[in-house]
Amino acid sequence: MTGLLFLPLVMTMLLTTHRPSSCQGMHMILDTDIHNFYEHLVLKEIEKQGLDRTLPAHQLADLCCLALNQLPSHYIRHEVDMLYFTTEAERTEMEQKVIASLRRAYDQIQAVPAR
């Protein structure tokens, strides 16, 4: 039980403690230099379906979380990498996974009573 309480404390310390970069003179910021490609696909599909115009902000945030949690991670540095390192069939499969995960996430949100 103590280990379970200790883990969040350690994670907080690791994430907030300033550490010099292991590469001299090079600084990488994970949330701007590297991202999960599925995030881009989910947001694009939400706009395509018009969900960003029909759902309130709190439901959109829930929708994104629920959909992304169903999808695998696929981290990239540049969008153009997807053109060179995936086939058309793989990109189509990724898009289909996004559509299916959004459908399930939307159904989950609609099943919850309105706030």
Side-chain angles (χ1 to χ4, degrees):
M1 181 72 175
T2 305
L4 291 176
L5 297 174
F6 184 68
L7 183 60
L9 176 63
V10 171
M11 293 302 294
T12 301
M13 288 172 51
L14 288 173
L15 292 173
T16 58
T17 304
H18 175 69
R19 294 177 308 278
S21 174
S22 60
C23 300
Q24 290 293 59
M26 297 177 69
H27 297 283
M28 180 176 65
I29 302 171
L30 288 178
D31 62 346
T32 57
D33 292 342
I34 297 172
H35 65 280
N36 181 351
F37 185 67
Y38 277 101
E39 293 170 0
H40 169 78
L41 292 178
V42 166
L43 293 176
K44 190 169 108 176
E45 188 60 31
I46 285 172
E47 286 181 3
K48 183 177 173 185
Q49 292 183 22
L51 297 172
D52 56 329
R53 295 183 302 276
T54 59
L55 293 175
H58 71 277
Q59 284 186 327
L60 275 174
D62 291 345
L63 181 74
C64 287
C65 291
L66 290 168
L68 286 166
N69 282 333
Q70 297 175 53
L71 296 164
S73 300
H74 192 98
Y75 287 94
I76 62 171
R77 289 187 58 211
H78 308 285
E79 300 291 326
V80 72
D81 292 346
M82 294 305 294
L83 294 174
Y84 295 109
F85 299 115
T86 57
T87 65
E88 184 65 33
E90 289 170 325
R91 286 190 296 276
T92 300
E93 181 182 350
M94 291 173 89
E95 290 170 357
Q96 295 302 315
K97 285 180 181 179
V98 166
I99 291 168
S101 71
L102 274 173
R103 186 177 311 117
R104 288 188 298 270
Y106 184 83
D107 290 346
Q108 284 180 276
I109 287 171
Q110 295 304 307
V112 175
R115 291 184 191 176

Short mmCIF file of all heavy atoms in Angstrom, two decimals, residues 50-107:
data_model
loop_
_atom_site.label_atom_id
_atom_site.label_comp_id
_atom_site.label_asym_id
_atom_site.label_seq_id
_atom_site.Cartn_x
_atom_site.Cartn_y
_atom_site.Cartn_z
N GLY A 50 -18.08 17.22 -37.44
CA GLY A 50 -18.77 18.38 -36.88
C GLY A 50 -19.04 18.29 -35.39
O GLY A 50 -19.83 19.07 -34.85
N LEU A 51 -18.38 17.37 -34.71
CA LEU A 51 -18.60 17.21 -33.28
C LEU A 51 -18.10 18.41 -32.49
O LEU A 51 -18.62 18.70 -31.41
CB LEU A 51 -17.92 15.93 -32.78
CG LEU A 51 -18.46 14.63 -33.41
CD1 LEU A 51 -17.60 13.45 -33.01
CD2 LEU A 51 -19.91 14.41 -33.01
N ASP A 52 -17.12 19.12 -33.03
CA ASP A 52 -16.61 20.31 -32.35
C ASP A 52 -17.63 21.44 -32.35
O ASP A 52 -17.53 22.38 -31.56
CB ASP A 52 -15.30 20.78 -32.99
CG ASP A 52 -15.42 21.05 -34.47
OD1 ASP A 52 -16.24 20.39 -35.15
OD2 ASP A 52 -14.70 21.93 -34.97
N ARG A 53 -18.63 21.36 -33.21
CA ARG A 53 -19.69 22.37 -33.26
C ARG A 53 -20.94 21.96 -32.51
O ARG A 53 -21.81 22.78 -32.26
CB ARG A 53 -20.03 22.69 -34.72
CG ARG A 53 -18.87 23.35 -35.47
CD ARG A 53 -19.23 23.73 -36.90
NE ARG A 53 -19.69 22.62 -37.73
CZ ARG A 53 -18.90 21.78 -38.39
NH1 ARG A 53 -17.59 21.92 -38.33
NH2 ARG A 53 -19.40 20.82 -39.13
N THR A 54 -21.06 20.68 -32.16
CA THR A 54 -22.28 20.20 -31.53
C THR A 54 -22.11 19.81 -30.06
O THR A 54 -23.11 19.74 -29.34
CB THR A 54 -22.86 18.99 -32.29
OG1 THR A 54 -21.89 17.94 -32.31
CG2 THR A 54 -23.23 19.38 -33.71
N LEU A 55 -20.89 19.56 -29.62
CA LEU A 55 -20.66 19.15 -28.23
C LEU A 55 -20.04 20.30 -27.45
O LEU A 55 -19.20 21.02 -27.97
CB LEU A 55 -19.71 17.94 -28.17
CG LEU A 55 -20.24 16.63 -28.74
CD1 LEU A 55 -19.14 15.57 -28.71
CD2 LEU A 55 -21.45 16.14 -27.96
N PRO A 56 -20.42 20.45 -26.18
CA PRO A 56 -19.76 21.46 -25.33
C PRO A 56 -18.31 21.05 -25.05
O PRO A 56 -17.94 19.88 -25.21
CB PRO A 56 -20.60 21.47 -24.06
CG PRO A 56 -21.37 20.20 -24.06
CD PRO A 56 -21.49 19.74 -25.49
N ALA A 57 -17.51 22.02 -24.62
CA ALA A 57 -16.07 21.80 -24.42
C ALA A 57 -15.77 20.64 -23.48
O ALA A 57 -14.87 19.84 -23.76
CB ALA A 57 -15.43 23.08 -23.91
N HIS A 58 -16.52 20.52 -22.39
CA HIS A 58 -16.22 19.43 -21.44
C HIS A 58 -16.49 18.06 -22.07
O HIS A 58 -15.77 17.11 -21.81
CB HIS A 58 -16.98 19.61 -20.11
CG HIS A 58 -18.45 19.39 -20.20
ND1 HIS A 58 -19.33 20.36 -20.62
CD2 HIS A 58 -19.20 18.29 -19.90
CE1 HIS A 58 -20.56 19.87 -20.59
NE2 HIS A 58 -20.51 18.62 -20.16
N GLN A 59 -17.51 17.96 -22.93
CA GLN A 59 -17.77 16.68 -23.59
C GLN A 59 -16.74 16.42 -24.69
O GLN A 59 -16.37 15.26 -24.91
CB GLN A 59 -19.18 16.64 -24.16
CG GLN A 59 -20.24 16.43 -23.10
CD GLN A 59 -21.62 16.25 -23.70
OE1 GLN A 59 -21.95 16.82 -24.73
NE2 GLN A 59 -22.45 15.46 -23.02
N LEU A 60 -16.27 17.45 -25.35
CA LEU A 60 -15.22 17.27 -26.36
C LEU A 60 -13.94 16.73 -25.71
O LEU A 60 -13.29 15.84 -26.26
CB LEU A 60 -14.92 18.58 -27.08
CG LEU A 60 -15.80 18.92 -28.25
CD1 LEU A 60 -15.47 20.31 -28.77
CD2 LEU A 60 -15.67 17.89 -29.36
N ALA A 61 -13.60 17.28 -24.56
CA ALA A 61 -12.41 16.81 -23.85
C ALA A 61 -12.58 15.34 -23.45
O ALA A 61 -11.67 14.53 -23.64
CB ALA A 61 -12.15 17.67 -22.62
N ASP A 62 -13.76 15.00 -22.93
CA ASP A 62 -14.03 13.60 -22.57
C ASP A 62 -13.98 12.70 -23.80
O ASP A 62 -13.42 11.61 -23.76
CB ASP A 62 -15.40 13.47 -21.90
CG ASP A 62 -15.44 14.09 -20.52
OD1 ASP A 62 -14.37 14.37 -19.94
OD2 ASP A 62 -16.57 14.31 -20.01
N LEU A 63 -14.56 13.18 -24.89
CA LEU A 63 -14.56 12.42 -26.14
C LEU A 63 -13.14 12.11 -26.60
O LEU A 63 -12.83 10.97 -26.95
CB LEU A 63 -15.32 13.20 -27.22
CG LEU A 63 -15.43 12.52 -28.58
CD1 LEU A 63 -16.45 11.38 -28.51
CD2 LEU A 63 -15.84 13.53 -29.63
N CYS A 64 -12.28 13.12 -26.58
CA CYS A 64 -10.88 12.92 -26.99
C CYS A 64 -10.18 11.90 -26.09
O CYS A 64 -9.52 10.99 -26.59
CB CYS A 64 -10.12 14.24 -26.96
SG CYS A 64 -10.56 15.37 -28.28
N CYS A 65 -10.34 12.05 -24.79
CA CYS A 65 -9.70 11.12 -23.86
C CYS A 65 -10.19 9.69 -24.07
O CYS A 65 -9.39 8.76 -24.15
CB CYS A 65 -9.95 11.55 -22.42
SG CYS A 65 -9.10 13.05 -21.94
N LEU A 66 -11.49 9.52 -24.15
CA LEU A 66 -12.06 8.18 -24.32
C LEU A 66 -11.62 7.55 -25.65
O LEU A 66 -11.29 6.36 -25.70
CB LEU A 66 -13.58 8.23 -24.24
CG LEU A 66 -14.16 8.53 -22.86
CD1 LEU A 66 -15.65 8.84 -22.96
CD2 LEU A 66 -13.89 7.39 -21.90
N ALA A 67 -11.61 8.34 -26.71
CA ALA A 67 -11.21 7.81 -28.02
C ALA A 67 -9.72 7.47 -28.03
O ALA A 67 -9.33 6.38 -28.46
CB ALA A 67 -11.53 8.82 -29.12
N LEU A 68 -8.88 8.38 -27.55
CA LEU A 68 -7.43 8.15 -27.58
C LEU A 68 -7.02 6.98 -26.69
O LEU A 68 -6.07 6.26 -27.02
CB LEU A 68 -6.68 9.42 -27.17
CG LEU A 68 -6.66 10.50 -28.24
CD1 LEU A 68 -6.20 11.83 -27.64
CD2 LEU A 68 -5.79 10.09 -29.41
N ASN A 69 -7.73 6.77 -25.59
CA ASN A 69 -7.39 5.65 -24.71
C ASN A 69 -7.67 4.29 -25.36
O ASN A 69 -7.15 3.27 -24.91
CB ASN A 69 -8.12 5.77 -23.38
CG ASN A 69 -7.46 6.78 -22.47
OD1 ASN A 69 -6.28 7.03 -22.56
ND2 ASN A 69 -8.25 7.36 -21.59
N GLN A 70 -8.47 4.27 -26.40
CA GLN A 70 -8.76 3.03 -27.12
C GLN A 70 -7.75 2.74 -28.23
O GLN A 70 -7.72 1.64 -28.77
CB GLN A 70 -10.14 3.11 -27.77
CG GLN A 70 -11.28 3.26 -26.80
CD GLN A 70 -12.57 3.46 -27.55
OE1 GLN A 70 -12.91 2.67 -28.43
NE2 GLN A 70 -13.30 4.52 -27.21
N LEU A 71 -6.96 3.75 -28.58
CA LEU A 71 -6.05 3.64 -29.72
C LEU A 71 -4.62 3.37 -29.27
O LEU A 71 -4.22 3.78 -28.19
CB LEU A 71 -6.10 4.94 -30.52
CG LEU A 71 -7.45 5.25 -31.16
CD1 LEU A 71 -7.52 6.70 -31.61
CD2 LEU A 71 -7.71 4.31 -32.32
N PRO A 72 -3.84 2.72 -30.14
CA PRO A 72 -2.43 2.51 -29.79
C PRO A 72 -1.67 3.83 -29.90
O PRO A 72 -2.13 4.78 -30.54
CB PRO A 72 -1.95 1.52 -30.86
CG PRO A 72 -2.84 1.77 -32.03
CD PRO A 72 -4.18 2.16 -31.45
N SER A 73 -0.52 3.89 -29.27
CA SER A 73 0.34 5.07 -29.40
C SER A 73 1.14 4.96 -30.69
O SER A 73 1.59 3.86 -31.06
CB SER A 73 1.30 5.16 -28.23
OG SER A 73 0.59 5.26 -27.03
N HIS A 74 1.33 6.07 -31.35
CA HIS A 74 2.16 6.10 -32.57
C HIS A 74 2.86 7.46 -32.58
O HIS A 74 2.35 8.42 -33.15
CB HIS A 74 1.30 5.90 -33.82
CG HIS A 74 2.11 5.65 -35.03
ND1 HIS A 74 2.35 4.40 -35.51
CD2 HIS A 74 2.78 6.50 -35.85
CE1 HIS A 74 3.11 4.49 -36.60
NE2 HIS A 74 3.38 5.76 -36.81
N TYR A 75 4.00 7.52 -31.89
CA TYR A 75 4.68 8.80 -31.71
C TYR A 75 5.55 9.15 -32.91
O TYR A 75 6.22 8.30 -33.48
CB TYR A 75 5.52 8.77 -30.43
CG TYR A 75 4.65 8.85 -29.22
CD1 TYR A 75 4.22 7.71 -28.57
CD2 TYR A 75 4.22 10.08 -28.76
CE1 TYR A 75 3.39 7.78 -27.47
CE2 TYR A 75 3.37 10.16 -27.66
CZ TYR A 75 2.97 9.02 -27.03
OH TYR A 75 2.13 9.11 -25.95
N ILE A 76 5.49 10.43 -33.26
CA ILE A 76 6.27 10.95 -34.38
C ILE A 76 6.82 12.32 -34.01
O ILE A 76 6.36 12.95 -33.06
CB ILE A 76 5.43 11.06 -35.67
CG1 ILE A 76 4.27 12.04 -35.47
CG2 ILE A 76 4.94 9.71 -36.12
CD1 ILE A 76 3.52 12.38 -36.74
N ARG A 77 7.79 12.77 -34.80
CA ARG A 77 8.31 14.14 -34.63
C ARG A 77 7.68 15.06 -35.66
O ARG A 77 7.41 16.20 -35.38
CB ARG A 77 9.83 14.14 -34.78
CG ARG A 77 10.51 13.48 -33.60
CD ARG A 77 12.01 13.62 -33.65
NE ARG A 77 12.36 15.03 -33.67
CZ ARG A 77 13.44 15.51 -34.27
NH1 ARG A 77 14.26 14.69 -34.90
NH2 ARG A 77 13.70 16.79 -34.25
N HIS A 78 7.50 14.57 -36.87
CA HIS A 78 7.01 15.40 -37.96
C HIS A 78 5.89 14.68 -38.70
O HIS A 78 5.99 13.48 -38.96
CB HIS A 78 8.13 15.73 -38.95
CG HIS A 78 9.34 16.30 -38.30
ND1 HIS A 78 9.39 17.60 -37.83
CD2 HIS A 78 10.55 15.75 -38.01
CE1 HIS A 78 10.58 17.82 -37.30
NE2 HIS A 78 11.29 16.72 -37.38
N GLU A 79 4.85 15.42 -39.07
CA GLU A 79 3.71 14.83 -39.79
C GLU A 79 4.19 14.17 -41.10
O GLU A 79 3.66 13.15 -41.52
CB GLU A 79 2.67 15.90 -40.11
CG GLU A 79 2.08 16.58 -38.89
CD GLU A 79 1.20 15.68 -38.05
OE1 GLU A 79 0.51 14.81 -38.61
OE2 GLU A 79 1.21 15.86 -36.83
N VAL A 80 5.16 14.77 -41.74
CA VAL A 80 5.64 14.25 -43.02
C VAL A 80 6.22 12.83 -42.87
O VAL A 80 6.24 12.07 -43.83
CB VAL A 80 6.66 15.22 -43.67
CG1 VAL A 80 7.98 15.21 -42.92
CG2 VAL A 80 6.84 14.94 -45.14
N ASP A 81 6.67 12.47 -41.66
CA ASP A 81 7.18 11.12 -41.43
C ASP A 81 6.13 10.07 -41.78
O ASP A 81 6.46 8.98 -42.23
CB ASP A 81 7.59 10.93 -39.97
CG ASP A 81 8.81 11.74 -39.59
OD1 ASP A 81 9.50 12.24 -40.51
OD2 ASP A 81 9.07 11.89 -38.38
N MET A 82 4.86 10.42 -41.56
CA MET A 82 3.79 9.47 -41.84
C MET A 82 3.68 9.17 -43.33
O MET A 82 3.30 8.07 -43.72
CB MET A 82 2.46 9.98 -41.30
CG MET A 82 2.42 10.08 -39.79
SD MET A 82 2.83 8.54 -38.95
CE MET A 82 1.45 7.53 -39.43
N LEU A 83 4.02 10.13 -44.16
CA LEU A 83 3.97 9.90 -45.60
C LEU A 83 5.03 8.91 -46.06
O LEU A 83 4.80 8.11 -46.95
CB LEU A 83 4.15 11.22 -46.36
CG LEU A 83 3.05 12.24 -46.19
CD1 LEU A 83 3.44 13.55 -46.87
CD2 LEU A 83 1.74 11.72 -46.75
N TYR A 84 6.19 8.96 -45.43
CA TYR A 84 7.31 8.13 -45.86
C TYR A 84 7.39 6.78 -45.17
O TYR A 84 7.93 5.85 -45.74
CB TYR A 84 8.62 8.88 -45.64
CG TYR A 84 8.72 10.11 -46.51
CD1 TYR A 84 8.64 11.38 -45.96
CD2 TYR A 84 8.88 10.00 -47.89
CE1 TYR A 84 8.72 12.51 -46.76
CE2 TYR A 84 8.95 11.13 -48.69
CZ TYR A 84 8.87 12.38 -48.12
OH TYR A 84 8.94 13.48 -48.91
N PHE A 85 6.86 6.69 -43.96
CA PHE A 85 7.06 5.47 -43.19
C PHE A 85 5.80 4.63 -42.98
O PHE A 85 5.84 3.65 -42.24
CB PHE A 85 7.71 5.80 -41.84
CG PHE A 85 9.06 6.44 -42.01
CD1 PHE A 85 9.27 7.75 -41.60
CD2 PHE A 85 10.11 5.75 -42.58
CE1 PHE A 85 10.50 8.35 -41.76
CE2 PHE A 85 11.35 6.35 -42.76
CZ PHE A 85 11.55 7.65 -42.34
N THR A 86 4.69 5.02 -43.59
CA THR A 86 3.49 4.18 -43.55
C THR A 86 2.93 4.07 -44.95
O THR A 86 3.04 4.98 -45.76
CB THR A 86 2.40 4.76 -42.62
OG1 THR A 86 2.07 6.07 -43.05
CG2 THR A 86 2.85 4.81 -41.18
N THR A 87 2.31 2.94 -45.20
CA THR A 87 1.68 2.74 -46.51
C THR A 87 0.29 3.36 -46.50
O THR A 87 -0.26 3.66 -45.44
CB THR A 87 1.56 1.24 -46.83
OG1 THR A 87 0.66 0.65 -45.89
CG2 THR A 87 2.91 0.53 -46.78
N GLU A 88 -0.28 3.50 -47.66
CA GLU A 88 -1.65 4.02 -47.77
C GLU A 88 -2.62 3.12 -47.02
O GLU A 88 -3.53 3.60 -46.34
CB GLU A 88 -2.06 4.14 -49.24
CG GLU A 88 -3.41 4.76 -49.45
CD GLU A 88 -3.49 6.21 -49.01
OE1 GLU A 88 -2.49 6.93 -49.13
OE2 GLU A 88 -4.57 6.63 -48.53
N ALA A 89 -2.41 1.81 -47.12
CA ALA A 89 -3.28 0.85 -46.41
C ALA A 89 -3.17 1.03 -44.90
O ALA A 89 -4.18 0.98 -44.19
CB ALA A 89 -2.92 -0.57 -46.81
N GLU A 90 -1.96 1.27 -44.38
CA GLU A 90 -1.78 1.49 -42.94
C GLU A 90 -2.46 2.78 -42.49
O GLU A 90 -3.10 2.81 -41.44
CB GLU A 90 -0.28 1.54 -42.60
CG GLU A 90 0.41 0.21 -42.70
CD GLU A 90 1.92 0.32 -42.59
OE1 GLU A 90 2.51 1.31 -43.08
OE2 GLU A 90 2.52 -0.60 -42.00
N ARG A 91 -2.34 3.83 -43.29
CA ARG A 91 -2.98 5.10 -42.93
C ARG A 91 -4.50 4.95 -42.95
O ARG A 91 -5.20 5.47 -42.07
CB ARG A 91 -2.53 6.21 -43.87
CG ARG A 91 -1.10 6.67 -43.58
CD ARG A 91 -0.72 7.92 -44.33
NE ARG A 91 -0.69 7.78 -45.78
CZ ARG A 91 0.34 7.31 -46.47
NH1 ARG A 91 1.44 6.95 -45.86
NH2 ARG A 91 0.28 7.22 -47.78
N THR A 92 -5.03 4.23 -43.91
CA THR A 92 -6.47 3.99 -43.98
C THR A 92 -6.93 3.19 -42.77
O THR A 92 -7.97 3.49 -42.17
CB THR A 92 -6.83 3.25 -45.29
OG1 THR A 92 -6.44 4.06 -46.40
CG2 THR A 92 -8.31 2.94 -45.37
N GLU A 93 -6.16 2.19 -42.38
CA GLU A 93 -6.51 1.39 -41.21
C GLU A 93 -6.51 2.26 -39.95
O GLU A 93 -7.39 2.14 -39.10
CB GLU A 93 -5.52 0.24 -41.04
CG GLU A 93 -5.82 -0.64 -39.84
CD GLU A 93 -4.80 -1.76 -39.65
OE1 GLU A 93 -3.95 -1.98 -40.53
OE2 GLU A 93 -4.86 -2.40 -38.59
N MET A 94 -5.54 3.16 -39.83
CA MET A 94 -5.47 4.06 -38.68
C MET A 94 -6.71 4.95 -38.64
O MET A 94 -7.31 5.15 -37.58
CB MET A 94 -4.21 4.92 -38.74
CG MET A 94 -2.93 4.14 -38.53
SD MET A 94 -1.46 5.15 -38.83
CE MET A 94 -1.22 5.84 -37.19
N GLU A 95 -7.11 5.47 -39.78
CA GLU A 95 -8.29 6.33 -39.85
C GLU A 95 -9.55 5.56 -39.47
O GLU A 95 -10.42 6.09 -38.78
CB GLU A 95 -8.42 6.93 -41.25
CG GLU A 95 -7.35 7.97 -41.54
CD GLU A 95 -7.30 8.40 -43.00
OE1 GLU A 95 -8.08 7.85 -43.83
OE2 GLU A 95 -6.48 9.28 -43.31
N GLN A 96 -9.65 4.31 -39.89
CA GLN A 96 -10.81 3.48 -39.53
C GLN A 96 -10.85 3.21 -38.03
O GLN A 96 -11.92 3.21 -37.43
CB GLN A 96 -10.80 2.17 -40.32
CG GLN A 96 -10.98 2.35 -41.81
CD GLN A 96 -12.27 3.07 -42.15
OE1 GLN A 96 -13.32 2.79 -41.60
NE2 GLN A 96 -12.19 4.04 -43.05
N LYS A 97 -9.67 2.98 -37.44
CA LYS A 97 -9.61 2.78 -35.98
C LYS A 97 -10.09 4.03 -35.25
O LYS A 97 -10.78 3.95 -34.24
CB LYS A 97 -8.18 2.45 -35.54
CG LYS A 97 -7.74 1.05 -35.87
CD LYS A 97 -6.31 0.84 -35.38
CE LYS A 97 -5.81 -0.54 -35.73
NZ LYS A 97 -4.42 -0.73 -35.27
N VAL A 98 -9.71 5.20 -35.76
CA VAL A 98 -10.12 6.47 -35.14
C VAL A 98 -11.64 6.62 -35.22
O VAL A 98 -12.28 6.98 -34.23
CB VAL A 98 -9.40 7.66 -35.81
CG1 VAL A 98 -10.05 8.98 -35.43
CG2 VAL A 98 -7.93 7.66 -35.43
N ILE A 99 -12.21 6.35 -36.37
CA ILE A 99 -13.67 6.47 -36.54
C ILE A 99 -14.39 5.54 -35.57
O ILE A 99 -15.34 5.95 -34.90
CB ILE A 99 -14.07 6.19 -38.01
CG1 ILE A 99 -13.56 7.32 -38.91
CG2 ILE A 99 -15.57 6.00 -38.14
CD1 ILE A 99 -13.64 7.02 -40.40
N ALA A 100 -13.92 4.31 -35.45
CA ALA A 100 -14.56 3.34 -34.55
C ALA A 100 -14.40 3.77 -33.09
O ALA A 100 -15.35 3.68 -32.30
CB ALA A 100 -13.96 1.96 -34.76
N SER A 101 -13.22 4.26 -32.72
CA SER A 101 -13.01 4.67 -31.33
C SER A 101 -13.84 5.90 -30.99
O SER A 101 -14.37 6.00 -29.88
CB SER A 101 -11.52 4.92 -31.03
OG SER A 101 -11.07 6.08 -31.67
N LEU A 102 -13.99 6.82 -31.94
CA LEU A 102 -14.83 8.00 -31.71
C LEU A 102 -16.30 7.61 -31.56
O LEU A 102 -17.01 8.16 -30.73
CB LEU A 102 -14.68 9.01 -32.84
CG LEU A 102 -13.54 10.00 -32.69
CD1 LEU A 102 -13.38 10.85 -33.95
CD2 LEU A 102 -13.73 10.88 -31.48
N ARG A 103 -16.73 6.64 -32.34
CA ARG A 103 -18.12 6.18 -32.25
C ARG A 103 -18.39 5.59 -30.86
O ARG A 103 -19.39 5.92 -30.22
CB ARG A 103 -18.41 5.14 -33.34
CG ARG A 103 -19.87 4.72 -33.41
CD ARG A 103 -20.16 3.74 -34.55
NE ARG A 103 -19.61 4.19 -35.81
CZ ARG A 103 -18.66 3.54 -36.51
NH1 ARG A 103 -18.16 2.41 -36.06
NH2 ARG A 103 -18.22 4.01 -37.65
N ARG A 104 -17.47 4.75 -30.38
CA ARG A 104 -17.64 4.16 -29.05
C ARG A 104 -17.57 5.23 -27.97
O ARG A 104 -18.37 5.22 -27.02
CB ARG A 104 -16.58 3.08 -28.81
CG ARG A 104 -16.82 1.80 -29.62
CD ARG A 104 -15.87 0.68 -29.22
NE ARG A 104 -14.48 1.00 -29.46
CZ ARG A 104 -13.81 0.76 -30.58
NH1 ARG A 104 -14.43 0.17 -31.59
NH2 ARG A 104 -12.55 1.06 -30.71
N ALA A 105 -16.64 6.16 -28.10
CA ALA A 105 -16.50 7.24 -27.11
C ALA A 105 -17.75 8.12 -27.10
O ALA A 105 -18.24 8.49 -26.04
CB ALA A 105 -15.26 8.07 -27.42
N TYR A 106 -18.27 8.44 -28.27
CA TYR A 106 -19.47 9.26 -28.37
C TYR A 106 -20.65 8.56 -27.69
O TYR A 106 -21.41 9.18 -26.95
CB TYR A 106 -19.79 9.56 -29.83
CG TYR A 106 -20.97 10.48 -30.01
CD1 TYR A 106 -20.82 11.86 -29.91
CD2 TYR A 106 -22.24 9.97 -30.27
CE1 TYR A 106 -21.89 12.71 -30.06
CE2 TYR A 106 -23.32 10.81 -30.43
CZ TYR A 106 -23.14 12.18 -30.33
OH TYR A 106 -24.23 13.02 -30.47
N ASP A 107 -20.79 7.25 -27.93
CA ASP A 107 -21.86 6.49 -27.30
C ASP A 107 -21.73 6.51 -25.77
O ASP A 107 -22.73 6.61 -25.06
CB ASP A 107 -21.87 5.04 -27.81
CG ASP A 107 -22.32 4.93 -29.26
OD1 ASP A 107 -22.88 5.93 -29.81
OD2 ASP A 107 -22.08 3.87 -29.87
#
